[in-house]
Amino acid sequence: MLMMAEKANNRYFQTMNIIRSFQDYTTQYKASIANPEDFWAAVANDFSWRKKWDKVLQWDFHKPEVKWFINGKLNITENCLDRHLPERANQTAIIWEPNHPQDESKYITYKELLEHVCRVANMLKAHGVQKGDRVCIYMPMIPETAYAMLACARIGAVHSVVFAGFSAGSLIDRINDAGCKLVLTADGAYRGDKTINLKGIVDEALEKCPTVEKVIVAERVNSKPALKAGRDFRWNEEISKASADCPAVETDAEDLLFILYTSGSTGKPKGMVHTCGGYMVYTNYTFRTAFQYQEGQVYWCTADVGWITGHSYIIYGPLSAGATTLMFEGIPSWPDWGRFWHVVEKHRVNIFYTAPTAIRSLEKAPLSFVKQYDLHSLKILGTVGEPINEEAWHWYHEHIGQKRCPVIDTWWQTETGGFMISPIASVTKLKPAFATLPLPGVQPAVMDEKGNELTTNEVEGRLAIKFPWPSMARTIYGDHQRFKETYFSTFPGKYFTGDGCRRDSDGYYRITGRVDDIIIVSGHNLGTAEIESAIDEHSAVCESAVVGYPHDIKGQGIYAFVICYDKPHEEENLRNEIREIVSKIIGPIAKPDKIQFVSGLPKTRSGKIMRRILRKVAEGDTTNLGDVTTLLDPGVVDEIKNGAL
Ligand code: WTA
């Protein structure tokens, strides 16, 4: 009976790896650790492979090298699209909800999605894109963006999606680092009542991007931008010439699927490389397992496709599982704070996945915005991106989930490709603000500062992972040495996450936040070094230091300490100019919330900035700054304390 029920539930994913009880979880977790290769081979068997692998895993964290499903051949889009057609050609694959509530939603079936993807794939081919070429996607949250990602995958090209909120400067860095040949963009993007001129930003960027040969511009805001002859093409015109049939190119399991940039604690952003086979298997498995996705449910992840959450859990995980995934173009606050709940009611959403920063701002709005809508369709809630505070957790659980819906707090990273530590909905006993337990195949380790693993419970330290999982990033594009230094050198033989964590007496994990120089602002990772170098571009600025501080809505705010060549006369004007520069170089998300002008920074004798002191000041805790006697100029600390904002 159970087998039949499972089969009816999902044709592809049959019995072996389905978890329905805590007992199943314990058994499978143990099996996944005792025999990882057998475990993942059984999961991978459920997919459509052109050729099965010779060996499941080859790895060495010292090199580092990780390969999964060696010599396996596949195309991920055959798994996300073609194989669904016999059973669900007319099922909605993507529900698209536009920015403006009065505009019509779109319902794209699996059959239609395949046709759209093939057309875009043929359009790319007609413009010279070949297997292995990098394509930059700088687009709004419109269905064409999903088609574009899958079209690259169909022909074995590597997509690099750049979040459409990034500025020209950020776009230049990312296009040049990946050596993109073609850019897919749109005339503009809607964001609430604003329109963003995407094509204008692309034009500005391309003055400094020698590898880009062509740009294809989708139409969204009807702004009719100027096209540069020979370089720019209209999406609609090009697509009308393309056939709806495009054979999928065979890729190796270890061929690149995409590059996605994430901020680093030093220097430029890191192009994390994900590959076809392992990424497909893991995003699919974690999507089905953690959310307990059931056939026919409507699933909505509110992230932007420009982030890893959008890649793994709007596109590849859900589509490979034959789910109905909702893509939302708008923002939670427009036309009013009820917009999310309006969408939940309208599309009868069953699984809703968002970020703590969104929950905190929604929580501040009057409850009447929630109460107007019927949220009975909701069954499961999720969060991602930063630690969720208990208050927000309870509000979400009580007012959105109406105490019926488990809240799954999924801890993971751009680098991990998929969920690592997360409750399994309705299976794992929840604890507010805890990501709870590792998913099968994930072997966490809590490390002390000296690099020893803390093996008991009730410990706090740094979070590392001891064993590979299929969707881990394989390298940083073009810089394997940096990959090694960033992730595999702090604790040799282990992957270092950059996060701190606590393991409590039940063995549950609570992620406490970054322990490096990355700050997470409204769920977006930003490197302090990147913001500092943008601030330093202002001609009046001599040096700066940036730290995070607790912020009610954003989780962390950005606090900049700035030294100018001359004492500023008009402090407020200068602050605005600095914010503008940062917005132009990185993007509006990186604008400092607070800017304090100082005459010096607390530095050690070797010239290292003591960020610990700056963090304390930014947090408003100036009573206990610790030992300052080792500083080059201890006097500067008093000045900083007295001028704190
Ligand atoms: C943080 C997002 C606490 C963490 C998928 C991590 C979290 C960084 C959680 C990765 C969570 C993500 N609880 N912290 N549930 N999820 N983080 O690369 O610091 O944008 O290292 O990937 O976000 O952010 P990224």
Side-chain angles (χ1 to χ4, degrees):
M1 269 310 284
L2 182 68
M3 270 193 56
M4 279 182 61
E6 298 292 11
K7 277 199 171 156
N9 175 36
N10 201 322
R11 193 171 92 80
Y12 312 106
F13 308 107
Q14 306 209 331
T15 47
M16 283 204 52
N17 305 99
I18 289 181
I19 295 178
R20 293 283 182 255
S21 66
F22 197 70
Q23 179 65 47
D24 291 349
Y25 164 73
T26 323
T27 313
Q28 293 200 27
Y29 185 77
K30 279 191 190 136
S32 76
I33 304 307
N35 276 310
E37 298 195 29
D38 292 350
F39 180 84
W40 289 113
V43 176
N45 262 325
D46 281 335
F47 293 82
S48 154
W49 295 84
R50 294 262 183 106
K51 175 185 164 291
K52 287 264 165 86
W53 51 93
D54 298 331
K55 191 168 184 285
V56 178
L57 170 65
Q58 184 175 311
W59 70 290
D60 176 352
F61 273 179
H62 291 282
K63 274 185 178 168
E65 176 193 76
V66 174
K67 290 183 177 164
W68 283 89
F69 310 113
I70 293 137
N71 292 331
K73 306 288 176 194
L74 75 156
N75 184 288
I76 195 168
T77 69
E78 287 184 337
N79 286 276
C80 291
L81 303 169
D82 306 64
R83 74 168 168 156
H84 297 319
L85 293 198
E87 293 264 315
R88 56 185 101 231
N90 298 320
Q91 181 198 309
T92 303
I94 298 179
I95 300 176
W96 178 70
E97 174 65 24
N99 179 65
H100 297 79
Q102 69 275 19
D103 290 351
E104 269 183 39
S105 314
K106 284 186 183 156
Y107 301 86
I108 301 138
T109 66
Y110 270 97
K111 180 163 173 284
E112 291 163 343
L113 181 57
L114 175 60
E115 290 169 5
H116 285 300
V117 169
C118 286
R119 282 212 169 84
V120 178
N122 283 326
M123 171 173 90
L124 292 174
K125 284 204 286 192
H127 283 278
V129 177
Q130 295 176 356
K131 186 175 177 188
D133 286 343
R134 276 81 57 215
V135 173
C136 173
I137 300 179
Y138 185 67
M139 293 181 66
M141 285 286 285
I142 55 177
E144 285 76 2
T145 309
Y147 310 159
M149 292 165 73
L150 292 161
C152 289
R154 186 115 185 133
I155 59 174
V158 178
H159 59 70
S160 167
V161 184
V162 178
F163 171 57
F166 276 124
S167 66
S170 297
L171 187 57
I172 292 169
D173 289 347
R174 286 159 175 77
I175 290 177
N176 289 342
D177 186 76
C180 294
K181 184 171 181 179
L182 185 139
V183 176
L184 294 171
T185 189
D187 53 356
Y190 292 124
R191 220 186 123 68
D193 58 359
K194 294 199 189 73
T195 305
I196 299 158
N197 179 3
L198 293 185
K199 175 62 165 56
I201 297 171
V202 169
D203 285 341
E204 189 187 336
L206 291 196
E207 285 173 18
K208 296 190 179 150
C209 297
T211 58
V212 175
E213 293 163 15
K214 295 190 175 173
V215 180
I216 302 177
V217 188
E219 225 169 62
R220 176 61 190 129
V221 301
N222 204 19
S223 65
K224 309 228 170 355
L227 299 183
K228 187 167 167 191
R231 188 195 72 179
D232 300 351
F233 298 85
R234 282 195 185 86
W235 185 293
N236 286 346
E237 277 172 23
E238 299 308 300
I239 212 80
S240 66
K241 300 178 208 157
S243 129
D245 179 21
C246 176
V249 164
E250 183 170 290
T251 61
D252 188 89
E254 283 298 320
D255 279 346
L256 270 64
L257 174 62
F258 65 83
I259 303 169
L260 183 60
Y261 287 85
T262 188
S263 294
S265 51
T266 53
K268 56 179 190 156
K270 301 169 291 196
M272 304 315 304
V273 168
H274 285 283
T275 56
C276 299
Y279 178 82
M280 169 181 79
V281 170
Y282 195 80
T283 53
N284 173 286
Y285 173 77
T286 48
F287 170 76
R288 288 184 293 116
T289 304
F291 287 121
Q292 293 282 294
Y293 182 79
Q294 307 282 324
E295 187 83 354
Q297 287 185 326
V298 175
Y299 160 84
W300 180 18
C301 164
T302 70
D304 191 282
V305 287
W307 310 114
I308 192 68
T309 310
H311 283 59
S312 302
Y313 299 108
I314 295 179
I315 307 290
Y316 291 108
L319 293 177
S320 66
T324 297
T325 176
L326 193 151
M327 201 175 167
F328 176 49
E329 188 189 29
I331 54 173
S333 56
W334 189 83
D336 61 44
W337 286 102
R339 184 66 170 129
F340 270 6
W341 320 127
H342 172 225
V343 177
V344 167
E345 178 186 276
K346 180 172 176 190
H347 298 294
R348 323 261 0 113
V349 171
N350 304 115
I351 303 175
F352 178 73
Y353 185 37
T354 195
T357 182
I359 298 169
R360 286 190 299 265
S361 48
L362 290 158
E363 188 189 338
K364 296 258 179 316
L367 211 49
S368 54
F369 285 117
V370 179
K371 297 230 159 105
Q372 302 170 40
Y373 298 102
D374 178 358
L375 303 182
H376 280 92
S377 59
L378 288 174
K379 292 201 155 52
I380 285 150
L381 303 176
T383 71
V384 59
E386 55 181 307
I388 181 164
N389 46 311
E390 288 193 36
E391 192 193 335
W393 194 99
H394 284 292
W395 184 85
Y396 194 35
H397 184 249
E398 183 177 335
H399 296 291
I400 307 307
Q402 300 167 340
K403 296 191 177 159
R404 286 178 287 113
C405 307
V407 173
I408 66 161
D409 177 357
T410 62
W411 173 81
W412 60 295
Q413 309 178 296
T414 304
E415 295 85 341
T416 71
F419 306 155
M420 300 293 282
I421 302 182
S422 168
I424 297 173
S426 312
V427 166
T428 312
K429 193 163 168 279
L430 303 173
K431 212 180 263 189
F434 279 74
T436 74
L437 297 169
L439 289 172
V442 175
Q443 302 189 31
V446 182
M447 310 295 292
D448 73 12
E449 298 223 348
K450 298 198 186 84
N452 302 311
E453 183 177 351
L454 304 169
T455 52
T456 57
N457 285 344
E458 297 196 66
V459 287
E460 186 154 353
R462 287 155 191 238
L463 180 61
I465 313 286
K466 294 192 276 192
F467 195 85
W469 61 100
S471 68
M472 67 186 294
R474 303 296 194 258
T475 189
I476 292 174
Y477 191 75
D479 199 347
H480 198 64
Q481 187 55 29
R482 187 175 179 201
F483 185 62
K484 179 173 176 171
E485 279 161 18
T486 311
Y487 303 105
F488 298 91
S489 304
T490 312
F491 306 120
K494 296 189 177 66
Y495 166 82
F496 176 45
T497 64
D499 281 325
C501 79
R502 210 178 99 203
R503 185 167 56 215
D504 76 359
S505 54
D506 293 326
Y508 271 38
Y509 291 82
R510 179 177 188 146
I511 310 300
T512 48
R514 302 289 312 188
V515 295
D516 53 12
D517 290 325
I518 289 176
I519 48 186
I520 303 194
V521 180
S522 300
H524 307 314
N525 287 12
L526 297 167
T528 52
E530 214 181 335
I531 306 175
E532 286 159 8
S533 80
I535 295 175
D536 297 351
E537 288 293 305
H538 193 291
S539 58
V541 174
C542 158
E543 195 182 355
S544 62
V546 164
V547 295
Y549 71 96
H551 186 288
D552 269 5
I553 304 280
K554 299 181 181 183
Q556 281 189 294
I558 303 173
Y559 195 125
F561 297 88
V562 175
I563 308 177
C564 293
Y565 290 108
D566 301 306
K567 193 173 164 21
H569 295 298
E570 301 279 349
E571 290 202 349
E572 214 37 53
N573 285 351
L574 186 53
R575 284 194 181 99
N576 289 336
E577 286 172 21
I578 290 173
R579 288 193 180 105
E580 266 321 296
I581 282 205
V582 174
S583 176
K584 190 140 179 36
I585 295 178
I586 307 176
I589 48 176
K591 279 190 203 175
D593 298 277
K594 295 186 181 178
I595 300 175
Q596 180 182 348
F597 295 107
V598 294
S599 67
L601 291 166
K603 288 190 182 168
T604 61
R605 277 166 216 198
S606 59
K608 195 167 170 271
I609 298 173
M610 296 279 278
R611 284 169 195 277
R612 179 177 53 79
I613 294 174
L614 297 178
R615 269 188 220 111
K616 285 264 184 199
V617 173
E619 282 163 17
D621 171 12
T622 50
T623 48
N624 178 21
L625 293 179
D627 184 10
V628 297
T629 53
T630 56
L631 293 179
L632 195 60
D633 174 13
V636 80
V637 174
D638 279 332
E639 181 210 315
I640 291 177
K641 254 165 52 175
N642 296 336
L645 299 170

